[in-house]
Amino acid sequence: MHTPIALLLELGIILTALSLLGTIARRFALSPVPLYLVAGLALGDGGLAPVPAARDFVDTGASIGVILLLLVLGLDFTVREFTASVRRHRTSAAVDLALNAAPGAVAGWLLGLDAGGILALAGATYVSSTGIIARLLGDLRRLGNRETPAVLSVLVVEDFVMAAYLPLLAVVASGGTWWQALLAVAAAMTAVTAAIAASWRWGHHVGRILAHPDPEQVLLRVLGITLIVAALAEIIHVSAAVGAFLIGLTLTGAAADRARTVLSPLRDLFAAVFFLALGLSVDPGDLLPMLPAAAALAVITAATKLATGWYAARRDGAGRRGRLRAGTALIARGEFSVVIIGLAAPTQGRLAALVATYVMLLAVCGPIVTRLAPTRPTAFRPPARRNRATSLAPDTVSAARPLPAPPRPGNGRDAARPD
C-alpha cells in the first residue's frame, strides 16, 4: 500500500507543531486551545503555510475529536449527579440562559443575520467551554473549593441544554419549517430521556458488556458503540456529539473509570486536531474586520458569565472571593461554540469569522482572568477571626499546647460562607 509522502510529511509537521504549542501553553498554565486555533489559521487557506494534503485527514479527525470530547466528558457525570444539579441550580441555569444568550441574539440582530444566524450566535455566547474549564480548575487546584460544585452544575445543565439546542439550530439554519424544528427537538429530548432512563436502570449491565481486562478490547468496544450511536444520532438530526455524551453518561463506576483511562490519550490527540480544524476553516483575512464586534461581545459576555457564576456560587454558600472565582471560571468559550459554527456557518458567511475571533479572545483571556482571581488565603488566621463567637470567651489556652478551633455556631452560617 502506497502512502503519499506529502500526507505523512504534513501530518508529522502538524503534530510536532501542536506538541510544541501545547508545551508552551502548559508552561504558563494556559489552555492550548487558542494556540491550536492560531495554528489552524496559519495552516489554512490564506495562511502562511497551507497543508492541502492533510486537509481531508484533519477534517475527519475533527469529527472524531468532537465525539471523543463529549464521550469522555459524559464519563465524568452520572444520572444522579445530573438530577441533583438540575434540582439545585434550576434558577442558576435560567439566569445563565437569560444573561448570556441575550447578548448574542442582540448582536446577531444588529449585524443583520437571519433567524439561523441569530440563534447560532446566541448559543455561542451562552455555552461555556466545559473542556477548558475542567482542565483549568484542575491546573489551579480548585476542584475542592466550595464554589466548584456550582460551576460544574452550571456546566452540566448547559451541556444538556445543548442536546435540545443543536438539533433545533440544525433545522433552522438549513431553512426547515417550524414543525421540523419541533420534531428534531422532540427526538433529541426523547433520546436524552431514554439514555437517562437506561443509565438509571441498566447502566451496570452496559458497563459489564463493555468491560474487559484487556485495554485494547475496552477501547474497541466503547469507541465502536459510540461511533454507531453517533451515526444514529445524526440520522435523527441529533448531534453526533450529544449521542456520544449520552453513551458516556450511561457508563458508570469502574466501567467509566476504565474507559476514561484508555480513551483520554486518544481524546487529547483528536481534540487537538478538532481545534486545529476550526482555524483551518477560517480565512485569516476575515478575522480583522470582525475584531471590534467580537471584542465588544467578549467584554459583555465575560461580565454576564461573571454575574452567573457569582449568583450560582452564592446559592451554594460561597463567600465573595469564591463567587468571584466561580464567575471568572465560566468565562472561557470553546467546544460547543465550535460545533455551532459547523452547523450554521455554511449558510452564514460572516458568522464563522465572528465566532472564531470571539472564541479565541475568550479562550485566551478567560484562563488568564481566572488565574488572577483571588485565591484562598494560605496564611494561618487565629480562630477568633474566623469565628466571632470565640472572641466572647477568655483566652486560657497555653501557647505551648494549642487546642483545635471550637466548632462552628449551631446554624453553620459562618461555615457556609468561606472565602
PDB file of all heavy atoms in Angstrom, residues 215-235:
ATOM      1  N   PRO A 215      -7.134  -3.650  27.845  1.00  0.00           N
ATOM      2  CA  PRO A 215      -7.421  -2.265  27.453  1.00  0.00           C
ATOM      3  C   PRO A 215      -7.784  -2.122  25.982  1.00  0.00           C
ATOM      4  O   PRO A 215      -8.597  -1.270  25.621  1.00  0.00           O
ATOM      5  CB  PRO A 215      -6.116  -1.522  27.790  1.00  0.00           C
ATOM      6  CG  PRO A 215      -5.441  -2.359  28.811  1.00  0.00           C
ATOM      7  CD  PRO A 215      -5.812  -3.775  28.480  1.00  0.00           C
ATOM      8  N   GLU A 216      -7.185  -2.970  25.136  1.00  0.00           N
ATOM      9  CA  GLU A 216      -7.499  -2.881  23.711  1.00  0.00           C
ATOM     10  C   GLU A 216      -8.967  -3.194  23.451  1.00  0.00           C
ATOM     11  O   GLU A 216      -9.627  -2.517  22.663  1.00  0.00           O
ATOM     12  CB  GLU A 216      -6.617  -3.851  22.929  1.00  0.00           C
ATOM     13  CG  GLU A 216      -6.915  -3.872  21.438  1.00  0.00           C
ATOM     14  CD  GLU A 216      -6.104  -4.916  20.697  1.00  0.00           C
ATOM     15  OE1 GLU A 216      -5.290  -5.612  21.340  1.00  0.00           O
ATOM     16  OE2 GLU A 216      -6.293  -5.049  19.476  1.00  0.00           O
ATOM     17  N   GLN A 217      -9.494  -4.197  24.142  1.00  0.00           N
ATOM     18  CA  GLN A 217     -10.898  -4.556  23.982  1.00  0.00           C
ATOM     19  C   GLN A 217     -11.820  -3.445  24.503  1.00  0.00           C
ATOM     20  O   GLN A 217     -12.847  -3.148  23.896  1.00  0.00           O
ATOM     21  CB  GLN A 217     -11.188  -5.868  24.711  1.00  0.00           C
ATOM     22  CG  GLN A 217     -10.705  -7.108  23.988  1.00  0.00           C
ATOM     23  CD  GLN A 217     -11.428  -7.305  22.673  1.00  0.00           C
ATOM     24  OE1 GLN A 217     -12.648  -7.152  22.582  1.00  0.00           O
ATOM     25  NE2 GLN A 217     -10.683  -7.635  21.626  1.00  0.00           N
ATOM     26  N   VAL A 218     -11.440  -2.821  25.606  1.00  0.00           N
ATOM     27  CA  VAL A 218     -12.240  -1.720  26.137  1.00  0.00           C
ATOM     28  C   VAL A 218     -12.293  -0.576  25.129  1.00  0.00           C
ATOM     29  O   VAL A 218     -13.359  -0.005  24.852  1.00  0.00           O
ATOM     30  CB  VAL A 218     -11.666  -1.233  27.480  1.00  0.00           C
ATOM     31  CG1 VAL A 218     -12.416   0.013  27.967  1.00  0.00           C
ATOM     32  CG2 VAL A 218     -11.748  -2.332  28.523  1.00  0.00           C
ATOM     33  N   LEU A 219     -11.147  -0.245  24.556  1.00  0.00           N
ATOM     34  CA  LEU A 219     -11.074   0.837  23.583  1.00  0.00           C
ATOM     35  C   LEU A 219     -11.935   0.535  22.368  1.00  0.00           C
ATOM     36  O   LEU A 219     -12.731   1.375  21.922  1.00  0.00           O
ATOM     37  CB  LEU A 219      -9.611   1.053  23.161  1.00  0.00           C
ATOM     38  CG  LEU A 219      -9.362   2.056  22.040  1.00  0.00           C
ATOM     39  CD1 LEU A 219      -9.797   3.451  22.475  1.00  0.00           C
ATOM     40  CD2 LEU A 219      -7.894   2.058  21.633  1.00  0.00           C
ATOM     41  N   LEU A 220     -11.814  -0.672  21.822  1.00  0.00           N
ATOM     42  CA  LEU A 220     -12.553  -1.028  20.620  1.00  0.00           C
ATOM     43  C   LEU A 220     -14.058  -1.085  20.882  1.00  0.00           C
ATOM     44  O   LEU A 220     -14.855  -0.619  20.061  1.00  0.00           O
ATOM     45  CB  LEU A 220     -12.059  -2.373  20.084  1.00  0.00           C
ATOM     46  CG  LEU A 220     -10.609  -2.401  19.564  1.00  0.00           C
ATOM     47  CD1 LEU A 220     -10.210  -3.812  19.169  1.00  0.00           C
ATOM     48  CD2 LEU A 220     -10.458  -1.458  18.382  1.00  0.00           C
ATOM     49  N   ARG A 221     -14.445  -1.633  22.002  1.00  0.00           N
ATOM     50  CA  ARG A 221     -15.878  -1.769  22.292  1.00  0.00           C
ATOM     51  C   ARG A 221     -16.529  -0.407  22.531  1.00  0.00           C
ATOM     52  O   ARG A 221     -17.567  -0.092  21.941  1.00  0.00           O
ATOM     53  CB  ARG A 221     -16.076  -2.655  23.518  1.00  0.00           C
ATOM     54  CG  ARG A 221     -15.694  -4.106  23.293  1.00  0.00           C
ATOM     55  CD  ARG A 221     -15.924  -4.944  24.537  1.00  0.00           C
ATOM     56  NE  ARG A 221     -15.481  -6.330  24.344  1.00  0.00           N
ATOM     57  CZ  ARG A 221     -15.677  -7.309  25.228  1.00  0.00           C
ATOM     58  NH1 ARG A 221     -16.308  -7.053  26.367  1.00  0.00           N
ATOM     59  NH2 ARG A 221     -15.231  -8.532  24.981  1.00  0.00           N
ATOM     60  N   VAL A 222     -15.922   0.400  23.404  1.00  0.00           N
ATOM     61  CA  VAL A 222     -16.532   1.689  23.741  1.00  0.00           C
ATOM     62  C   VAL A 222     -16.535   2.610  22.531  1.00  0.00           C
ATOM     63  O   VAL A 222     -17.559   3.244  22.211  1.00  0.00           O
ATOM     64  CB  VAL A 222     -15.786   2.340  24.924  1.00  0.00           C
ATOM     65  CG1 VAL A 222     -16.339   3.749  25.192  1.00  0.00           C
ATOM     66  CG2 VAL A 222     -15.917   1.483  26.176  1.00  0.00           C
ATOM     67  N   LEU A 223     -15.425   2.680  21.817  1.00  0.00           N
ATOM     68  CA  LEU A 223     -15.351   3.568  20.666  1.00  0.00           C
ATOM     69  C   LEU A 223     -16.268   3.088  19.549  1.00  0.00           C
ATOM     70  O   LEU A 223     -16.937   3.902  18.889  1.00  0.00           O
ATOM     71  CB  LEU A 223     -13.911   3.668  20.171  1.00  0.00           C
ATOM     72  CG  LEU A 223     -13.645   4.669  19.050  1.00  0.00           C
ATOM     73  CD1 LEU A 223     -14.079   6.074  19.460  1.00  0.00           C
ATOM     74  CD2 LEU A 223     -12.166   4.664  18.660  1.00  0.00           C
ATOM     75  N   GLY A 224     -16.327   1.782  19.338  1.00  0.00           N
ATOM     76  CA  GLY A 224     -17.197   1.257  18.292  1.00  0.00           C
ATOM     77  C   GLY A 224     -18.667   1.555  18.564  1.00  0.00           C
ATOM     78  O   GLY A 224     -19.391   2.049  17.687  1.00  0.00           O
ATOM     79  N   ILE A 225     -19.119   1.271  19.787  1.00  0.00           N
ATOM     80  CA  ILE A 225     -20.518   1.549  20.145  1.00  0.00           C
ATOM     81  C   ILE A 225     -20.808   3.037  20.065  1.00  0.00           C
ATOM     82  O   ILE A 225     -21.876   3.467  19.591  1.00  0.00           O
ATOM     83  CB  ILE A 225     -20.822   1.016  21.557  1.00  0.00           C
ATOM     84  CG1 ILE A 225     -20.745  -0.509  21.577  1.00  0.00           C
ATOM     85  CG2 ILE A 225     -22.198   1.486  22.026  1.00  0.00           C
ATOM     86  CD1 ILE A 225     -21.758  -1.197  20.684  1.00  0.00           C
ATOM     87  N   THR A 226     -19.864   3.859  20.487  1.00  0.00           N
ATOM     88  CA  THR A 226     -20.064   5.307  20.467  1.00  0.00           C
ATOM     89  C   THR A 226     -20.223   5.826  19.050  1.00  0.00           C
ATOM     90  O   THR A 226     -21.100   6.657  18.765  1.00  0.00           O
ATOM     91  CB  THR A 226     -18.892   6.012  21.157  1.00  0.00           C
ATOM     92  OG1 THR A 226     -18.785   5.554  22.504  1.00  0.00           O
ATOM     93  CG2 THR A 226     -19.086   7.521  21.148  1.00  0.00           C
ATOM     94  N   LEU A 227     -19.393   5.351  18.122  1.00  0.00           N
ATOM     95  CA  LEU A 227     -19.493   5.807  16.743  1.00  0.00           C
ATOM     96  C   LEU A 227     -20.809   5.364  16.108  1.00  0.00           C
ATOM     97  O   LEU A 227     -21.403   6.106  15.312  1.00  0.00           O
ATOM     98  CB  LEU A 227     -18.303   5.271  15.937  1.00  0.00           C
ATOM     99  CG  LEU A 227     -16.929   5.855  16.310  1.00  0.00           C
ATOM    100  CD1 LEU A 227     -15.833   5.189  15.487  1.00  0.00           C
ATOM    101  CD2 LEU A 227     -16.907   7.366  16.114  1.00  0.00           C
ATOM    102  N   ILE A 228     -21.269   4.168  16.451  1.00  0.00           N
ATOM    103  CA  ILE A 228     -22.559   3.708  15.926  1.00  0.00           C
ATOM    104  C   ILE A 228     -23.687   4.599  16.439  1.00  0.00           C
ATOM    105  O   ILE A 228     -24.559   5.043  15.674  1.00  0.00           O
ATOM    106  CB  ILE A 228     -22.803   2.234  16.312  1.00  0.00           C
ATOM    107  CG1 ILE A 228     -21.808   1.317  15.580  1.00  0.00           C
ATOM    108  CG2 ILE A 228     -24.245   1.823  15.998  1.00  0.00           C
ATOM    109  CD1 ILE A 228     -21.865  -0.124  16.042  1.00  0.00           C
ATOM    110  N   VAL A 229     -23.687   4.869  17.732  1.00  0.00           N
ATOM    111  CA  VAL A 229     -24.732   5.720  18.311  1.00  0.00           C
ATOM    112  C   VAL A 229     -24.638   7.135  17.747  1.00  0.00           C
ATOM    113  O   VAL A 229     -25.658   7.778  17.477  1.00  0.00           O
ATOM    114  CB  VAL A 229     -24.612   5.739  19.844  1.00  0.00           C
ATOM    115  CG1 VAL A 229     -25.546   6.771  20.457  1.00  0.00           C
ATOM    116  CG2 VAL A 229     -24.913   4.350  20.410  1.00  0.00           C
ATOM    117  N   ALA A 230     -23.423   7.637  17.538  1.00  0.00           N
ATOM    118  CA  ALA A 230     -23.252   8.970  16.961  1.00  0.00           C
ATOM    119  C   ALA A 230     -23.839   9.027  15.560  1.00  0.00           C
ATOM    120  O   ALA A 230     -24.494  10.015  15.177  1.00  0.00           O
ATOM    121  CB  ALA A 230     -21.772   9.340  16.939  1.00  0.00           C
ATOM    122  N   ALA A 231     -23.635   7.963  14.771  1.00  0.00           N
ATOM    123  CA  ALA A 231     -24.203   7.925  13.424  1.00  0.00           C
ATOM    124  C   ALA A 231     -25.732   7.883  13.478  1.00  0.00           C
ATOM    125  O   ALA A 231     -26.413   8.571  12.712  1.00  0.00           O
ATOM    126  CB  ALA A 231     -23.663   6.716  12.671  1.00  0.00           C
ATOM    127  N   LEU A 232     -26.275   7.076  14.386  1.00  0.00           N
ATOM    128  CA  LEU A 232     -27.733   7.011  14.529  1.00  0.00           C
ATOM    129  C   LEU A 232     -28.299   8.361  14.990  1.00  0.00           C
ATOM    130  O   LEU A 232     -29.385   8.765  14.568  1.00  0.00           O
ATOM    131  CB  LEU A 232     -28.114   5.916  15.527  1.00  0.00           C
ATOM    132  CG  LEU A 232     -27.780   4.475  15.107  1.00  0.00           C
ATOM    133  CD1 LEU A 232     -28.112   3.499  16.234  1.00  0.00           C
ATOM    134  CD2 LEU A 232     -28.533   4.099  13.835  1.00  0.00           C
ATOM    135  N   ALA A 233     -27.550   9.047  15.851  1.00  0.00           N
ATOM    136  CA  ALA A 233     -27.992  10.366  16.306  1.00  0.00           C
ATOM    137  C   ALA A 233     -28.070  11.343  15.137  1.00  0.00           C
ATOM    138  O   ALA A 233     -29.002  12.143  15.040  1.00  0.00           O
ATOM    139  CB  ALA A 233     -27.045  10.887  17.383  1.00  0.00           C
ATOM    140  N   GLU A 234     -27.095  11.285  14.255  1.00  0.00           N
ATOM    141  CA  GLU A 234     -27.113  12.167  13.083  1.00  0.00           C
ATOM    142  C   GLU A 234     -28.299  11.854  12.169  1.00  0.00           C
ATOM    143  O   GLU A 234     -28.872  12.752  11.555  1.00  0.00           O
ATOM    144  CB  GLU A 234     -25.803  12.029  12.308  1.00  0.00           C
ATOM    145  CG  GLU A 234     -24.592  12.662  12.984  1.00  0.00           C
ATOM    146  CD  GLU A 234     -24.642  14.176  12.928  1.00  0.00           C
ATOM    147  OE1 GLU A 234     -25.387  14.726  12.115  1.00  0.00           O
ATOM    148  OE2 GLU A 234     -23.919  14.822  13.720  1.00  0.00           O
ATOM    149  N   ILE A 235     -28.672  10.570  12.081  1.00  0.00           N
ATOM    150  CA  ILE A 235     -29.794  10.184  11.225  1.00  0.00           C
ATOM    151  C   ILE A 235     -31.090  10.835  11.709  1.00  0.00           C
ATOM    152  O   ILE A 235     -31.927  11.265  10.900  1.00  0.00           O
ATOM    153  CB  ILE A 235     -29.931   8.652  11.175  1.00  0.00           C
ATOM    154  CG1 ILE A 235     -28.732   8.042  10.427  1.00  0.00           C
ATOM    155  CG2 ILE A 235     -31.243   8.238  10.512  1.00  0.00           C
ATOM    156  CD1 ILE A 235     -28.721   6.524  10.433  1.00  0.00           C
TER     157      ILE A 235
END
